[in-house]
Amino acid sequence: MGRSRRTLPEELLLLALDPTTGTTAQPQSLDLGLAGAQLVELALAGRIAPDGDRIAVVVPRPTGDPTLDCALELLRRRGAPVRAVHWIGGPRLGLRQTYLSHLERCGMVHAVAGQMCGVLPTTRYQATDNAISREIRARLDSAIRTGVPPDPRTAALAALAHAVGLGKHLYPGNEGRSSRSRLRDLIRHDPMGGLVAHAVMDVQNGAAAQPRRGQAPVGRQATAGGRPAPEPARGVPMQPQHGAGP
C-alpha cells in the first residue's frame, strides 16, 4: 500500500479534530472507531475479509504501514476468524496518540503545548493544512447531498463517523438533523464498513460482553476435559503511549 493516500484511521481522526480547540470530538468512542477503521483499511487493501460477523485474514502480506501491519499480524496469529465486536472491544493503549503522532510526523498537524488550570500539561493538535480536512469533509457532504452511492472508502468513513458519534460534531443543531440522518443511512453502501460500524456501536452498548444465545459466557465454556475454556485473546494491537493525548 503506498503512503500517497491517507488511511481511513487518519481520515477519521482528521474529521474528529476540532480546528478551534485542537482536541478530538468523542475521544472515547473515537478510540473504538480507529480500531474499526484499521479493519476497513485492511479489507480495502485485500488483506482481510468479512466472514459472517467475523474477520478472516486472506492475504497476510504486509501493507507497508507499520500500525496496520501490527494489527494484521495479530489477526494472523489468531489462526481463526475473530468476531469484529471482540476485536474492536478489546484493550488498546495509545492508538489515538499513535495516529496523532504519525500525522504530526507527516506534517498534517502540529502539537501545541499548554496547561490545564495553569498546572497540568496538555497537548493540543492543530491542522497545518485545513484543505486536507475540507477535502475529506467535502466527500461526505457530496454523498449526503447528492444521494449518489459513494465509493467504498467514503461509505466506510461515513459509517464510522456515525458510529463514533461525529454526526453532531460535523452537522450540529436542528439544521443538521437531516444531514445526520443521511450520514447514518450511508452505512448500507459498504458491507465491511457496515459490519465494523455496527460492531463499534455494539461495543458502546455493551454487546461485546454478551454471550450468544445458548452459549455459556465467554471464558466459562467447558472443554472436553471439563475445565473452563480460557477467554480468547481479543487481538487489538497495543500501541505505546507517546506523550499526553488531547
Side-chain angles (χ1 to χ4, degrees):
M1 174 188 303
R3 295 299 302 133
S4 61
R5 183 170 62 183
R6 295 178 301 272
T7 64
L8 271 174
E10 294 163 8
E11 291 194 328
L12 183 65
L13 188 51
L14 286 170
L15 272 182
L17 194 63
D18 191 305
T20 303
T21 65
T23 60
T24 52
Q26 304 293 336
Q28 293 182 336
S29 58
L30 180 61
D31 290 343
L32 302 175
L34 290 173
Q38 287 185 314
L39 294 180
V40 179
E41 189 65 47
L42 287 170
L44 289 172
R47 301 311 196 265
I48 64 175
D51 182 5
D53 65 345
R54 297 174 183 266
I55 304 299
V57 175
V58 293
V59 178
R61 186 177 69 253
T63 66
D65 181 297
T67 309
L68 289 176
D69 289 341
C70 177
L72 179 62
E73 175 61 15
L74 288 175
L75 285 166
R76 186 193 66 79
R77 290 179 185 175
R78 289 296 303 272
V82 58
R83 288 188 69 201
V85 71
H86 283 166
W87 173 272
I88 292 169
R92 64 189 52 82
L93 179 63
L95 188 58
R96 179 164 31 112
Q97 184 60 42
T98 295
Y99 275 108
L100 282 169
S101 298
H102 170 74
L103 290 177
E104 185 181 15
R105 289 192 300 271
C106 292
M108 295 187 194
V109 302
H110 69 275
V112 179
Q115 289 183 329
M116 181 182 296
C117 301
V119 179
L120 300 176
T122 62
T123 304
R124 300 176 185 274
Y125 292 85
Q126 299 288 344
T128 56
D129 186 356
N130 289 326
I132 297 175
S133 297
R134 287 196 297 268
E135 182 272 328
I136 298 171
R137 173 70 179 270
R139 283 164 41 209
L140 292 185
D141 291 345
S142 176
I144 287 173
R145 183 179 62 255
T146 64
V148 177
D151 62 275
R153 179 174 293 273
T154 301
L157 182 62
L160 288 163
H162 166 71
V164 302
L166 289 183
K168 290 184 178 180
H169 168 70
L170 298 171
Y171 306 103
N174 287 333
E175 64 274 15
R177 184 178 300 173
S178 61
S179 293
R180 294 195 299 269
S181 177
R182 288 193 288 272
L183 180 72
R184 178 195 63 218
D185 292 341
L186 291 176
I187 199 171
R188 71 181 187 274
H189 289 294
D190 180 62
M192 185 66 181
L195 168 65
V196 169
H198 282 298
V200 169
M201 292 184 284
D202 285 346
V203 171
Q204 294 180 80
N205 294 330
Q210 299 297 323
R212 290 183 175 182
R213 184 173 298 179
Q215 291 182 340
V218 173
R220 301 295 299 172
Q221 295 170 331
T223 63
R227 297 184 302 276
E231 183 175 354
R234 296 214 174 159
V236 176
M238 301 290 286
Q239 300 291 345
Q241 186 77 20
H242 302 293

